[in-house]
Amino acid sequence: MMESGKDNGTKLTGQRRVGLLYDERMCKHENLHDGYHPETPNRIRSIWNKLQSTGITQRCVILDAKEAEDKNILSVHSKKHVNFIKKISSESDSRRLKTASKFDSIYFNEGSSEAAYLAAGSAIEVVERVASREFNSAFAIVRPPGHHAEREEPMGFCLFNNVAIAATYLLEERPELGIKKILIVDWDIHHGNGTQKMFWNDSRVLFFSVHRHENGGFYPASDDGFYTMVGEGAGAGYNINVPWENGRCGDADYFAVWDHILLPVAKEFNPDMIIVSAGFDAAIGDPLGGCRVSPFGYSVLLKKLMNFAEGRIALILEGGYNLDSIAKSAHACVEVLLEDEPIVGSSEAYPFESTWRVIQAVRQELSCFWPTLANELPQKLISQIAPPPHTLISSSDSETEDDKGRQNSDLAELLQDVIKPLSELKVDAVIRKFRWQLLSSMRLRKPAAFVFGNRIR
């Protein structure tokens, strides 16, 4: 039984006070018609089991999950959408299946409504605890994820937009907490289209998303994630997209984006709090992401963010579909939240040439809003590049498991041209199972070329 606000017998004196939130009820949301679906309850179980097995839960305060109230969800979603999600679990299975087919990459079952309300309410719970300074930081291990969910409809495995609901709650419902400016950092491999739209005209929220884009060819397959999408009206300049041109981006690419875009702007913006849309599908070995961020990489990205907002950071889980990678990456992040110490490790790799090109384009686009981005980057800096992505076959990472993960990720990329035509169509469970067996025979843990989307585009 989780006990809200109690220290589980552990003295937290001398270290940062960190809240953790997990609730098995969110595992009730499950795709019962597709046993190979990547958005599985085991995603959050794997994280929780990892944190328990390493004893890290004993160093944190375990929080109770809470269901969101309709009024909070209605701050970003329409009444029609809220009523739809509330009632979907009470429908017949056949009706739910038919309804889900009308949406983009969505499934429902008897546990979907409860899980969605718990995920949104838990996001509110952790941001409120951090904003009130009860905790230095917190991590909500929730599902279903949220950043694709738009005002009127669910999409991309997301039912309610958990992060947008939580941020709006602080700004609108709890002004006495003094949170007037929020930085949302979305490092999920997919663009946070829903979150972007919800704060498109709002200067109180600086939305930053780094994602695989490929000129609109990668999910959610639109121009919304392009670097020219900077916001409008009062929100002009407060929407920052860093769109990768290719897969296989790793630690060095993300570090460069942090150092030359996000951190300079964050310093000017000076947020009162940071909320991370913490998807771990850019991690090594992820079957959907095809990138190579290591647990060490995530820890460095988070550590750099802790220099702002007095370290007041709330992580809300988004994607991540390799159970080993998501568990290790989440564990590395919680370690950072707990310990105010330098990160031990190093990265000798360089960013791709395409990464520097994207960084320069973003800086130029946003320089009129953020003067700190106006200066050109030194030629000596941007000339330090890694070999082109398609020439990388293996990794020089010291961990054998990560080597295998990166090799699998590279192999997955090579297979995409063959399997992608299938994955973009509405396929049945037999075809999905065949794809799984094919890829498994090649020592891949999951269908590497799985692409969000159950409608023909």
Side-chain angles (χ1 to χ4, degrees):
M1 178 67 67
M2 297 182 187
E3 298 182 357
S4 176
K6 295 189 177 182
D7 296 351
N8 304 321
T10 301
K11 293 182 179 180
L12 302 180
T13 305
Q15 70 179 39
R16 288 171 52 85
R17 188 174 173 87
V18 177
L20 285 180
L21 193 153
Y22 170 83
D23 194 304
E24 184 72 14
R25 288 178 292 172
M26 283 179 273
C27 294
K28 294 179 181 178
H29 174 63
E30 186 174 6
N31 192 330
L32 301 178
H33 300 278
D34 181 1
Y36 302 95
H37 198 284
E39 210 294 278
T40 164
N42 288 330
R43 295 176 57 245
I44 59 174
R45 287 183 181 132
S46 67
I47 295 175
W48 187 245
N49 290 340
K50 177 71 171 180
L51 298 181
Q52 285 190 308
S53 67
T54 59
I56 207 168
T57 53
Q58 297 300 312
R59 298 160 58 195
C60 301
V61 181
I62 310 304
L63 304 176
D64 288 326
K66 294 183 179 180
E67 290 193 9
E69 297 181 29
D70 284 354
K71 66 177 182 179
N72 301 134
I73 303 174
L74 287 167
S75 67
V76 301
H77 290 290
S78 69
K79 186 173 183 179
K80 179 182 178 182
H81 178 66
V82 173
N83 288 337
F84 168 71
I85 297 299
K86 179 187 294 186
K87 297 176 181 178
I88 191 64
S89 287
S90 62
E91 302 283 356
S92 66
D93 185 62
S94 59
R95 185 174 179 85
R96 282 195 299 264
L97 195 62
K98 182 178 180 180
T99 301
S101 68
K102 299 176 182 179
F103 296 107
D104 186 348
S105 305
I106 287 294
Y107 67 80
F108 301 114
N109 75 330
E110 290 182 356
S112 297
S113 300
E114 182 181 19
Y117 270 84
L118 283 169
S122 297
I124 291 175
E125 178 71 4
V126 297
V127 300
E128 185 174 36
R129 296 294 191 98
V130 174
S132 65
R133 299 181 184 272
E134 182 178 348
F135 296 101
N136 299 100
S137 54
F139 183 17
I141 306 166
V142 299
R143 63 179 291 275
H147 70 153
H148 293 307
E150 300 194 349
R151 176 174 173 79
E152 295 283 349
E153 67 176 304
M155 65 177 287
F157 308 162
C158 304
L159 304 187
F160 288 143
N161 196 309
N162 308 317
V163 165
I165 291 168
T168 303
Y169 173 79
L170 291 182
L171 294 170
E172 301 292 344
E173 299 295 325
R174 298 299 307 276
E176 72 276 11
L177 296 178
I179 305 299
K180 299 179 179 179
K181 293 188 293 182
I182 297 175
L183 168 61
I184 296 178
V185 176
D186 189 333
W187 67 39
D188 188 282
I189 195 62
H190 303 96
H191 178 239
N193 55 289
T195 312
Q196 170 174 295
K197 291 178 181 178
M198 289 168 180
F199 299 110
W200 186 246
N201 298 286
D202 197 335
S203 62
R204 298 173 299 174
V205 174
L206 174 60
F207 176 67
F208 172 90
S209 178
V210 54
H211 47 271
R212 191 169 168 184
H213 189 251
E214 297 182 10
N215 295 313
F218 197 75
Y219 192 89
S222 74
D223 293 333
D224 289 344
F226 201 50
Y227 67 83
T228 56
M229 304 294 283
V230 299
E232 291 181 344
Y238 291 89
N239 194 88
I240 301 177
N241 287 316
V242 180
W244 296 140
E245 296 179 358
N246 47 260
R248 300 187 179 90
C249 293
D251 293 355
D253 304 282
Y254 280 77
F255 294 167
V257 167
W258 253 237
D259 291 343
H260 302 293
I261 298 177
L262 177 56
L263 301 185
V265 173
K267 185 175 181 179
E268 280 198 39
F269 182 63
N270 191 23
D272 298 311
M273 183 169 172
I274 299 173
I275 302 176
V276 180
S277 266
F280 294 105
D281 41 7
I284 292 169
D286 189 273
L288 270 62
C291 285
R292 302 178 303 172
V293 179
S294 70
F296 165 75
Y298 281 114
S299 69
V300 171
L301 299 179
L302 183 56
K303 181 66 175 180
K304 288 174 180 287
L305 292 176
M306 289 176 68
N307 292 320
F308 303 94
E310 300 177 347
R312 284 193 285 177
I313 298 179
L315 275 66
I316 314 296
L317 184 66
E318 297 284 0
Y321 307 97
N322 178 307
L323 301 186
D324 185 59
S325 290
I326 194 175
K328 287 182 176 178
S329 300
H331 181 270
C333 286
V334 179
E335 285 278 12
V336 171
L337 295 179
L338 279 167
E339 303 293 344
D340 190 13
E341 297 178 357
I343 300 298
V344 177
S346 64
S347 177
E348 298 179 358
Y350 292 122
F352 292 128
E353 184 274 334
S354 60
T355 295
W356 287 123
R357 183 167 58 248
V358 169
I359 288 175
Q360 289 176 293
V362 173
R363 285 172 61 95
Q364 182 176 358
E365 184 73 26
L366 288 161
S367 60
C368 59
F369 303 104
W370 305 101
T372 187
L373 302 180
N375 295 331
E376 291 189 11
L377 297 177
Q379 185 62 37
K380 183 178 180 180
L381 175 67
I382 62 178
S383 64
Q384 298 176 330
I385 60 175
H390 63 274
T391 68
L392 297 178
I393 299 176
S394 64
S395 164
S396 60
D397 196 292
S398 60
E399 290 188 21
T400 303
E401 269 188 46
D402 287 349
D403 282 346
K404 292 179 180 178
R406 292 191 183 194
Q407 290 170 7
N408 286 347
S409 178
D410 292 332
L411 178 56
E413 290 288 321
L414 295 176
L415 289 170
Q416 279 197 358
D417 288 342
V418 177
I419 304 175
K420 190 174 181 180
L422 284 177
S423 64
E424 288 183 336
L425 296 174
K426 182 179 176 183
V427 295
D428 60 24
V430 175
I431 295 178
R432 280 193 292 270
K433 185 174 181 179
F434 172 77
R435 289 171 51 219
W436 166 272
Q437 292 172 336
L438 171 66
L439 292 167
S440 296
S441 69
M442 298 178 181
R443 300 184 68 183
L444 289 175
R445 298 187 59 174
K446 289 189 175 182
F450 185 98
V451 177
F452 284 11
N454 57 11
R455 297 186 298 192
I456 299 176
R457 290 187 178 85

